[in-house]
Amino acid sequence: MARWPWWTQVAGLYIAARLVSACIFMAAALHQGVNPWFPAKPDYWNFINIWDARWYAEALQTGYPVLLPTDGAGTVQENTWAFYPLFPILGRVLSGLTGTGPAWSLTAIAMVSGLGAALVAYRIFRHRASHRTALWGTVFLATFPVAAVLQVPYAESLNLLLLGSALLLVMERRYLWAMPVVVLMCLSRPTGVPFAAMMGLLFLYRLWQRFTEQRLKTQQPAKPDLATQHVPTQHRDGVAVHSNAQLWSLGGLTAVSGISALLWPAIAWAVTGDPGAYTKTETAWRGDDLVPFKPWFDAGIMLFGPNLGVLAPFVFVAAFTLLMMSRPVVALGTELRLWCCCYMGYLLVFLHPQTSTFRMLLPLFPLALSAALLSRSRAYRGAVVVMFFLLQIVWIVWLWAWAQLPGGGDYPP
């Protein structure tokens, strides 16, 4: 494959990873017993069209309710407002063009988007590493324990494609081109808030770079030595300083990101007349109201007891901070590191940690390159891939396949 074009190499490796995941799905389906959706031992296509795939299919077919469904006490119940509209809209368009059902259309979009996300991820990684290392980083992404979700009718693959495209355009300073991509990304999954936070911090950082550069320029002697003359187009860290036009474009993208992050909750408000329609729907799966940070402490106490459990979130934050300061992660550059920090911060503030948390770590995909940068050893890199595939088996058998718990229901993937 070394003589093939880069996109052929990436596509070949990604498709191979998805075939392995398909084999794991089919093997798990042979052991699937009684479940809420279909008879035991379903075929592959029925097996991957469960869980949230049914919600996306419902959004495709019936849209979103004007009146929020509530129980006798007036508490909002689970409904399609929790599922962002871009994925089902594209599925409806494809179904209309091809005459196929929702399951096939959504699956096709997910699979094509996953391939596109892998190609974009390689382009991002190539900015920070050699071809071979970037290719290994893409392989790590394609084989990640929850990467099997990229081939099922979930919006993860579409969101990953749009998120990666937005990050690539930001890294290449094509801020105006990134604006429509960010709007679409914010309508695919709830990644708009951390992206807007990243853009705001990045804008302030670039503004500070420009300010310090201008200050150093004014402090230069009238006739500097040519050997030590300061280059005004470069900052002290070796990164080219933004021009006025680039700063204006970056500021515009920051504003667009902030507005787009609130677009779907605003649409839910406008349609239902309830300003909290989106958040009430999201918390319907939790069973309680949204309180920032609290679910992490609750999960810590449940797992480690009343004493160590309170400390667990702080230990986690400290460990993640050390990870962000490690050499392989520093090599990612400002934009990717800032994205990882903002996204993890978003999860800490708003996420209710449970089994779906593993799936929600996919937007941290730049760390796949850090894992590849950790060592050039083929034994290490091959062992990571094997470990990831083994963990895919665990994820699919434990979480995707349905096995009713003693108290009813099952852990969601």
Side-chain angles (χ1 to χ4, degrees), residues 8 12 27 58 74 82 164 246 303 341 373 400 407:
T8 310
E58 181 177 338
Q246 288 177 324
L303 293 173
C341 291
L373 290 169
W400 190 265

Side-chain angles (χ1 to χ4, degrees), residues 122-142:
Y122 170 85
R123 287 283 309 277
I124 292 174
F125 296 166
R126 195 67 181 85
H127 279 270
R128 299 289 182 245
S130 65
H131 164 71
R132 182 175 293 274
T133 301
L135 201 60
W136 272 106
T138 309
V139 170
F140 287 174
L141 169 62

Side-chain angles (χ1 to χ4, degrees), residues 5 19 73 123 126 157 206 236 248 283 330:
L19 289 175
R123 287 283 309 277
R126 195 67 181 85
S157 53
R206 297 306 185 197
R236 287 172 293 175
W248 277 106
T283 55
V330 171

Side-chain angles (χ1 to χ4, degrees), residues 18-41:
R18 297 285 63 78
L19 289 175
V20 174
S21 299
C23 291
I24 300 173
F25 272 121
M26 288 186 284
L30 292 175
H31 300 277
Q32 175 65 69
V34 178
N35 60 86
W37 301 286
F38 40 67
K41 296 184 178 180

Side-chain angles (χ1 to χ4, degrees), residues 62-78:
T62 63
Y64 297 87
V66 176
L67 296 176
L68 294 175
T70 58
D71 60 12
T75 303
V76 174
Q77 301 298 289
E78 299 171 1

Side-chain angles (χ1 to χ4, degrees), residues 315-326:
V315 174
F316 175 78
V317 171
F320 187 79
T321 302
L322 291 176
L323 175 66
M324 290 294 102
M325 296 171 62
S326 65

Side-chain angles (χ1 to χ4, degrees), residues 162-370:
L162 294 169
L163 171 63
S165 300
L167 289 174
L168 178 61
L169 291 169
V170 169
M171 292 174 66
E172 296 177 349
R173 302 188 178 186
R174 293 190 285 172
Y175 302 124
L176 296 180
W177 286 99
M179 290 181 182
V181 178
V182 169
V183 174
L184 293 175
M185 180 198 73
C186 291
L187 292 175
S188 62
R189 273 192 59 78
T191 49
V193 171
F195 192 88
M198 181 203 78
M199 292 310 305
L201 293 174
L202 183 64
F203 176 70
L204 294 175
Y205 177 65
R206 297 306 185 197
L207 199 63
W208 173 80
Q209 280 186 321
R210 182 63 185 273
F211 172 76
T212 55
E213 187 69 17
Q214 293 296 328
R215 186 178 62 179
L216 289 172
K217 184 177 179 180
T218 58
Q219 293 175 354
Q220 288 182 16
K223 296 181 179 180
D225 190 321
L226 292 178
T228 59
Q229 184 175 0
H230 178 70
V231 181
T233 58
Q234 297 286 327
H235 193 258
R236 287 172 293 175
D237 59 6
V239 178
V241 176
H242 278 53
S243 64
N244 287 333
Q246 288 177 324
L247 282 175
W248 277 106
S249 299
L250 179 56
L253 178 58
T254 302
V256 169
S257 301
I259 295 171
S260 300
L262 303 176
L263 188 58
W264 184 237
I267 292 174
W269 178 5
V271 172
T272 64
D274 187 340
Y278 171 72
T279 54
K280 289 178 181 178
T281 300
E282 278 285 1
T283 55
W285 274 265
R286 304 184 184 188
D288 51 20
D289 295 332
L290 173 64
V291 179
F293 301 108
K294 181 178 181 293
W296 287 90
F297 290 97
D298 293 339
I301 292 172
M302 180 184 67
L303 293 173
F304 305 109
N307 296 320
L308 294 178
V310 175
L311 297 176
F314 297 102
V315 174
F316 175 78
V317 171
F320 187 79
T321 302
L322 291 176
L323 175 66
M324 290 294 102
M325 296 171 62
S326 65
R327 182 175 299 179
V329 177
V330 171
L332 295 178
T334 302
E335 293 87 355
L336 297 181
R337 288 177 69 206
L338 196 55
W339 161 250
C340 291
C341 291
C342 288
Y343 184 70
M344 183 54 70
Y346 168 78
L347 294 183
L348 288 171
V349 175
F350 297 107
L351 179 67
H352 177 71
Q354 29 101 10
T355 49
S356 295
T357 304
F358 302 117
R359 174 169 53 89
M360 295 180 185
L361 297 179
L362 266 179
L364 294 173
F365 75 93
L367 296 180
L369 178 60
S370 298

